[in-house]
Amino acid sequence: MSDFDYDLFVIGGGSGGVRAARVAASETGARVALAEDDRYGGTCVIRGCVPKKLMVFASEFAEVAEDARAYGWSMDRGDFDWSAFRTRLNGELDRLEGVYRSLLKNAGVTTYDARAVIRDTHTVELSTGESLTAKHILVATGGRPVRPDIPNADLGIVSDDIFHLPELPKSILIIGGGYIACEFACILNGMGVEVTQYYRGAQVLRGFDEEARGLISDAMKERGIALHTGTDIVEMRCATDDDLSGKSDGAISMGTPMHEIAGDAPQGENRDGPIWVKATNGQSGVFDAVFFATGRSPNTVDMGLEEVGVKLGRKGEIVVDEYSQTAIPSIYAIGDVTDRVNLTPVAIREGMAFVETVFRGNPTPVDHELIPSAVFTQPEFGTVGLSEEQAAEQEAVEIYSTSFRPMQSAFAGRSDRVMMKLVVSKESRKVLGCHIVAPNAGEMIQLAGIAVKMGATKEDFDRTVAVHPTMSEEIVTMRKATRTA
Ligand code: FAD
């Protein structure tokens, strides 16, 4: 019998923590406890992937009536009822949280609804005052959205807040060019909000394939999003009557003509009212809401980590080895708090590998190579492997790329384009990267990801017979390289 209260204490009941706790308890017989200081399910279930994807679905109905009419149906577009949607959304999140709680209970995990901090290498202290010991501690505390360091930044909202808005703003300024910023720009635009987006870089979706980024940003603009690259926010405050008197119908956004506003205004008052914003280009405007999608920070503050000797990186992330072990042998960390690849399935993989390593005696490193992922913009983007630019830096490559108007939306008179692209090693013929911009590209890339992960060559793709008529058949019918790089 161990001297510890538990074999494993997990801090954080999100994607990674719940999976590790559940599997360790139910499949290895370990005595496991887990502390969660907010809602079970964590970012993914409560304020990330799940509510976001439901909002994506909601926003996509905007085009259905118009398309259906083109296909011969008599159908009119009605209004979007945010409050009805939000009620259903909250009901669904309550249900899912219940599922997570019962998964833990049924696995025999003891749960504490409390904040936990580390007191020594084997002890955690809860906000309830209890102190508990464990042979192993797993930190799975995830991350949180950060606001930029400018005065009055607290007037803006972050992704956690978007699901709780009492009503949809008429106009919104989204700051950021990452996947969360772009996804919400498309979602809110689809829901009828007038969306302006500032991104300080030259092109949105930094790090992804250049050609895909261009296509997506063009499509976003075409759908009515006022996307301003090379632009950032420098000042914000509550809008004054003077600011508002410049309003015609609804808010003035950067997508419509600007006006210069003189004079100082009271700071930080009237949090719920319109917000005046000044941009790096000197222009100003008033928006009903400002949404900061300006990055996330690991939840490691005031956790007692450095005090016990756990090493933190530059962004505050926990530094771990390939087995997710920290500088302290009894303490491990998985998921977003380690800032490796911040995606739900990766946090889950890391949790499973941790259990395999520590509780089954089978050291299992986490494989972070060739992770397929999706960006739920409209159009959607599915990607796996190297971008054209990354691959070309590494070796000589052939690019097979095609862009076309897909049958379904072309028939409805839309100008939407899709893109299918393979990045192929000249020497080994392996497909190093696959990038798809198309409706349901997330679903497609999951399957293409298997082939790429298996090391399929371009000739393997070519040998596969097309499924006709589909969009994805193009991925196996691109005979001639578009270019070399
Ligand atoms: P989390 O899920 O964040 O869980 C950490 C938990 O720890 C939280 O519940 C928190 O309350 C708790 N906690 C923190 N500190 C303490 C403490 N001291 N004591 C007790 N509990 C504590 N990923 C995808 O794969 N696909 C997507 O489409 C996608 N969309 C996203 C959209 C948004 C808007 C956001 C914000 C994220 C999205 N992600 C997506 C990322 C994904 O949500 C995360 O990668 C994933 O949730 C990480 O899991 P985790 O277990 O590391 O942390």
Side-chain angles (χ1 to χ4, degrees):
M1 186 70 188
S2 144
D3 292 338
F4 299 108
D5 296 323
Y6 296 102
D7 299 315
L8 171 64
F9 198 102
V10 180
I11 306 180
S15 309
V18 167
R19 178 60 67 91
R22 184 163 72 80
V23 176
S26 65
E27 293 183 18
T28 77
R31 295 167 313 139
V32 182
L34 180 147
E36 167 56 56
D37 74 341
D38 195 337
R39 296 185 65 186
Y40 286 73
T43 304
C44 171
V45 177
I46 305 297
R47 46 193 172 268
C49 331
V50 172
K52 172 196 81 184
K53 191 77 191 275
L54 290 168
M55 282 179 78
V56 170
F57 290 141
S59 68
E60 283 175 346
F61 284 102
E63 292 176 346
V64 166
E66 208 178 306
D67 287 1
R69 275 204 307 276
Y71 277 89
W73 291 91
S74 25
M75 200 184 275
D76 286 323
R77 178 177 161 172
D79 290 329
F80 175 62
D81 183 345
W82 167 253
S83 130
F85 169 74
R86 209 190 48 166
T87 304
R88 276 190 80 86
L89 176 69
N90 286 335
E92 178 62 2
L93 301 188
D94 290 347
R95 186 187 73 79
L96 289 172
E97 187 183 8
V99 169
Y100 272 75
R101 278 185 185 271
S102 54
L103 280 175
L104 289 169
K105 188 163 174 253
N106 296 341
V109 176
T110 307
T111 52
Y112 295 91
D113 290 2
R115 180 165 200 271
V117 297
I118 294 181
R119 277 295 162 244
D120 69 40
T121 53
H122 291 284
T123 309
V124 297
E125 193 179 296
L126 302 183
S127 45
T128 54
E130 277 168 286
S131 242
L132 297 157
T133 59
K135 188 167 183 207
H136 304 283
I137 296 171
L138 180 66
V139 185
T141 49
R144 63 182 187 291
V146 287
R147 290 177 162 80
D149 191 13
I150 57 168
N152 297 323
D154 62 337
L155 292 173
I157 57 170
V158 291
S159 62
D160 289 359
D161 306 316
I162 202 97
F163 311 108
H164 305 291
L165 292 176
E167 56 191 43
L168 281 184
K170 279 206 180 72
S171 67
I172 196 164
L173 170 65
I174 299 180
I175 314 284
Y179 82 92
I180 292 177
C182 294
E183 288 177 341
F184 278 104
C186 294
I187 289 169
L188 293 168
N189 180 59
M191 288 178 170
V193 179
E194 185 193 324
V195 178
T196 303
Q197 186 179 354
Y198 289 176
Y199 175 52
R200 63 183 176 189
Q203 183 57 285
V204 293
L205 299 173
R206 186 162 67 90
F208 290 105
D209 187 85
E210 208 65 60
E211 199 178 351
R213 295 166 74 189
L215 197 73
I216 293 166
S217 81
D218 288 349
M220 287 171 67
K221 287 181 200 158
E222 201 154 301
R223 281 180 152 78
I225 296 165
L227 173 60
H228 300 258
T229 50
T231 308
D232 205 353
I233 184 171
V234 279
E235 249 185 84
M236 67 189 290
R237 55 167 169 71
C238 299
T240 62
D241 289 344
D242 280 355
D243 301 334
L244 294 171
S245 61
K247 273 175 106 176
S248 43
D249 50 349
I252 298 153
S253 81
M254 295 307 196
T256 57
M258 311 301 151
H259 65 172
E260 293 290 332
I261 296 156
D264 286 330
Q267 305 266 303
E269 289 171 17
N270 184 21
R271 286 177 62 105
D272 295 332
I275 300 164
W276 175 89
V277 165
K278 188 169 180 183
T280 39
N281 57 12
Q283 294 178 317
S284 62
V286 175
F287 301 89
D288 288 339
V290 174
F291 174 1
F292 292 113
T294 39
R296 294 178 62 80
S297 211
N299 281 328
T300 49
V301 177
D302 296 334
M303 288 271 307
L305 289 159
E306 282 174 299
E307 290 80 346
V308 298
V310 171
K311 295 261 175 306
L312 301 185
R314 208 170 45 85
K315 281 179 68 184
E317 75 280 14
I318 298 181
V319 177
V320 289
D321 67 10
E322 57 182 336
Y323 302 103
S324 299
Q325 191 172 33
T326 71
I328 300 299
S330 59
I331 303 178
Y332 287 72
I334 54 165
D336 285 10
V337 76
T338 61
D339 196 28
R340 286 175 282 182
V341 179
N342 297 335
L343 294 170
T344 287
V346 178
I348 290 173
R349 282 288 168 115
E350 290 168 357
M352 303 279 280
F354 158 79
V355 173
E356 196 63 30
T357 301
V358 175
F359 290 96
R360 290 206 179 96
N362 175 25
T364 304
V366 185
D367 180 2
H368 289 113
E369 290 297 309
L370 295 172
I371 295 170
S373 67
V375 177
F376 297 99
T377 38
Q378 291 160 26
E380 214 166 282
F381 177 32
T383 177
V384 62
L386 300 178
S387 67
E388 176 176 343
E389 298 70 37
Q390 291 162 339
E393 262 182 34
Q394 179 182 294
E395 61 183 280
V397 286
E398 280 180 357
I399 306 301
Y400 295 80
S401 179
T402 176
S403 173
F404 55 96
R405 290 174 69 206
M407 192 196 245
Q408 186 178 355
S409 56
F411 184 85
R414 294 197 182 280
S415 57
D416 293 5
R417 297 192 76 77
V418 307
M419 183 196 91
M420 306 275 161
K421 177 167 179 176
L422 294 177
V423 180
V424 178
S425 160
K426 252 187 172 171
E427 196 191 340
S428 70
R429 304 299 299 154
K430 272 191 185 167
V431 175
L432 305 174
C434 175
H435 311 283
I436 301 176
V437 179
N440 295 316
E443 304 291 344
M444 295 182 204
I445 207 69
Q446 180 68 83
L447 304 180
I450 301 171
V452 175
K453 184 81 183 163
M454 287 175 75
T457 60
K458 174 68 172 69
E459 286 63 37
D460 291 324
F461 274 69
D462 292 346
R463 283 192 294 116
T464 307
V465 174
V467 178
H468 184 74
T470 64
M471 285 178 285
S472 52
E473 67 181 299
E474 297 287 332
I475 211 85
V476 296
T477 54
M478 292 185 284
R479 289 283 170 252
K480 279 186 119 167
T482 321
R483 58 188 169 272
T484 53

